[in-house]
Amino acid sequence: EAKKAGGAGYHFYASALTERSQQRVRLESDLRRALEAGELALHYQPLVDLRGGRLVGFEALLRWQHPRQGWIAPDTFIPLAEESGLIKPLGDWVLREAFAQACTWHEAGLEFGTIAVNVSPRQLDQDDLPALVRRLLQETGLPPGRVSLELTETAVMGQPERARSALDEIFAQGIELSIDDFGTGYSSLAYLKQLPFGKLKIDRSFVRDIPGDSNDVQITRAIVALGHSLGLRIVAEGVETEAQRDLLLELGCDVAQGYLFDRPVPADEAQQRWLSFAMEPCRRSECN
Ligand code: C2E
Ligand code: MG
Ligand code: MG
Ligand code: MG
């Protein structure tokens, strides 16, 4: 199309491409600096027990405050970090930061449950992920039961053998493992059930249209039943409405996470809203 339109069109197309790849390169070098410049932060989103409504933990979610472009979502820069190899230092930083935060809350006697950290498939590739986790547990003195690692099914299916031994080693340290975004990949259940997962997180795309979409209701019902039959605790992500929550409860889902309860927020805010005993009920609603 661009070629048929003649030279000008073609040049426009080519230069647009160049501009895009230049933007990528720039973003990549920005990300490299962002780590040292302290532009990265973790936000924390609560997970609640569906039956009792109590806090059972937080998921740590990465945020990048870019000096010129403002807030950049992880879905944009994590793939970039994975392609460029930056995911290694970035992933290490996330683990350190999350462990440090958990340690702070733990030492303050605040009942935060567990901290869930997302791990990319490329991190699982590294030989030293189990060693890093072990070192962080030793450095912080955090009980391993206070941490869980989230991996997408695709991450695990990518390098089955390698993934399995890394996961086994991490599990043996007492750390809980969760399958993230379940239902979006092409994982083999026969394979997944051989891995030491304790939790299964139903992807947001199935939760979004329940209870209205009967297909999604049936899929969710099936995932809950299947997960339970494999001995997994089931978490629903992206719970935004009371109708969704009520149905998930009815389907036997164990834990929920979503805007209905809270958005991901900085650690001090998460602490104020969810871990402060002195919080008055009326002030809590002002925060929202
Ligand atoms: P995820 O692990 O599935 O995290 C859940 C995502 O759903 C988060 O998006 C969260 O903000 C969003 N979410 C939670 N509740 C709701 C809701 O009720 N409605 C809607 N619309 N969204 C909700 P976020 O923070 O943008 O992260 C996107 C993805 O980026 C994550 O998906 C995870 O795969 C990846 N990610 C985030 N932080 C890290 C990290 O530190 N390391 C790695 N490797 N990946 C990360
Ligand atoms: Mg996750
Ligand atoms: Mg998820
Ligand atoms: Mg997701």
Side-chain angles (χ1 to χ4, degrees), residues 105-116:
W105 283 335
H106 181 66
E107 283 177 350
L110 297 170
E111 195 37 73
F112 63 91
T114 59
I115 298 261

Side-chain angles (χ1 to χ4, degrees), residues 180-181 203 237:
D180 207 347
D181 299 350
D203 191 65
E237 15 173 76

Side-chain angles (χ1 to χ4, degrees), residues 59 118 150 180 201:
E59 179 171 5
N118 292 286
E150 299 192 353
D180 207 347
K201 299 185 82 173

Side-chain angles (χ1 to χ4, degrees), residues 49 58 106 118 130 186 211:
D49 168 53
F58 290 102
H106 181 66
N118 292 286
Y186 298 93

Side-chain angles (χ1 to χ4, degrees), residues 223-245:
I223 295 176
V224 172
L226 182 98
H228 278 161
S229 76
L230 296 176
L232 301 167
R233 276 171 68 71
I234 313 296
V235 181
E237 15 173 76
V239 179
E240 295 184 354
T241 70
E242 281 171 14
Q244 288 169 340
R245 182 197 55 196

